[in-house]
């Protein structure tokens, strides 16, 4: 049996992906991944694991990864192969993550907005999504996963990466 690589928290509850038997109603989820913040070699995080964790919350309909212009071609290909849309930006990726998130909040029929980041800079996005009635999932990994971001979200998914050299 495959080891669970994530834990899901909802308003005071903690369950691993394996323990979660009841299915949350099929809600449409839009996911934006802050690539430089979350897809680091030292974390060993795989997008397929992020996708599996999100699918415990609802049906993933939109999945985008925002990267800077220095992203290696191999990473971009891996993102495409996992069914995610890569978005390459010159300069700071945070602005583009915010734009993509606001588009999901205001111009889509997504019921759940998911942000994969550890960055507290996105707290206003989480608050705005909740203000307009969207549920919010934050996906992150330690170290440096913002406690404020976790406390503001409806769901928190804490990923567990596989450090370099331990893959099997």
């Amino acid at each position: 049996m495959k080891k669970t690589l994530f834990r899901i928290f909802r308003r005071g509850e903690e369950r691993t992906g394996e323990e979660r038997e009841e299915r949350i109603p099929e809600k449409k989820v839009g996911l934006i991944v802050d690539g430089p913040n979350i897809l680091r070699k030292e974390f060993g995080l795989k997008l397929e694991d992020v996708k599996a964790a999100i699918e415990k919350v609802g049906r993933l309909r939109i999945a985008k990864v925002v990267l800077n212009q220095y992203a290696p071609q191999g990473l971009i290909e891996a993102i495409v192969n996992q069914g995610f849309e890569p978005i390459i930006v010159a300069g700071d990726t945070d602005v583009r993550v915010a734009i993509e998130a606001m588009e999901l909040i205001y111009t889509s029929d997504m019921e759940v907005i998911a942000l994969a980041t550890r960055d507290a800079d996105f707290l206003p996005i989480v608050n705005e999504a909740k203000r307009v009635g969207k549920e919010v999932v934050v996906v992150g990994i330690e170290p440096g996963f913002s406690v404020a971001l976790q406390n503001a979200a409806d769901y928190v998914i804490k990923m567990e990466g596989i450090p370099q050299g331990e893959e099997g």
Side-chain angles (χ1 to χ4, degrees):
M1 180 163 58
K2 185 178 177 185
K3 181 182 181 234
T4 302
L5 297 175
F6 58 88
R7 289 178 290 155
I8 299 174
F9 300 85
R10 180 185 174 145
R11 298 183 194 137
E13 296 179 14
E14 178 180 347
R15 300 173 185 214
T16 65
E18 291 175 349
E19 294 171 342
R20 193 168 185 94
E21 291 180 17
E22 82 280 357
R23 220 31 206 155
I24 296 171
E26 287 292 324
K27 296 178 182 178
K28 291 184 235 166
V29 181
L31 169 65
I32 308 296
V33 178
D34 179 3
N37 186 286
I38 208 102
L39 298 178
R40 296 177 170 213
K41 285 183 183 177
E42 64 263 27
F43 294 153
L45 189 63
K46 295 183 179 180
L47 282 175
E48 64 191 66
D49 296 328
V50 172
K51 187 186 259 187
I54 290 291
E55 288 174 349
K56 298 290 184 180
V57 176
R59 193 174 60 214
L60 188 59
R61 305 306 299 156
I62 295 174
K64 299 179 179 184
V65 178
V66 179
L67 301 166
N68 62 30
Q69 72 269 24
Y70 304 112
Q73 187 62 35
L75 175 61
I76 296 168
E77 289 174 13
I79 288 167
V80 170
N81 289 338
Q82 287 298 319
F84 288 73
E85 176 187 343
I87 299 171
I88 315 299
V89 298
D92 191 11
T93 57
D94 285 4
V95 172
R96 186 58 183 263
V97 169
I99 290 168
E100 295 294 331
M102 293 303 276
E103 285 181 2
L104 286 178
I105 291 168
Y106 289 112
T107 63
S108 74
D109 61 350
M110 296 300 119
E111 299 161 283
V112 181
I113 307 301
L115 291 173
T117 186
R118 300 173 304 135
D119 195 338
D121 290 346
F122 297 109
L123 189 56
I125 297 291
V126 171
N127 291 332
E128 182 63 10
K130 289 174 67 176
R131 187 186 71 76
V132 300
K134 307 282 184 170
E135 287 187 277
V136 178
V137 176
V138 291
V139 180
I141 191 167
E142 294 293 351
F145 190 7
S146 167
V147 174
L149 199 60
Q150 294 179 52
N151 287 335
D154 295 303
Y155 298 92
V156 176
I157 299 175
K158 291 185 178 182
M159 302 301 297
E160 296 174 10
I162 301 172
Q164 291 292 108
E166 290 187 25
E167 292 185 35

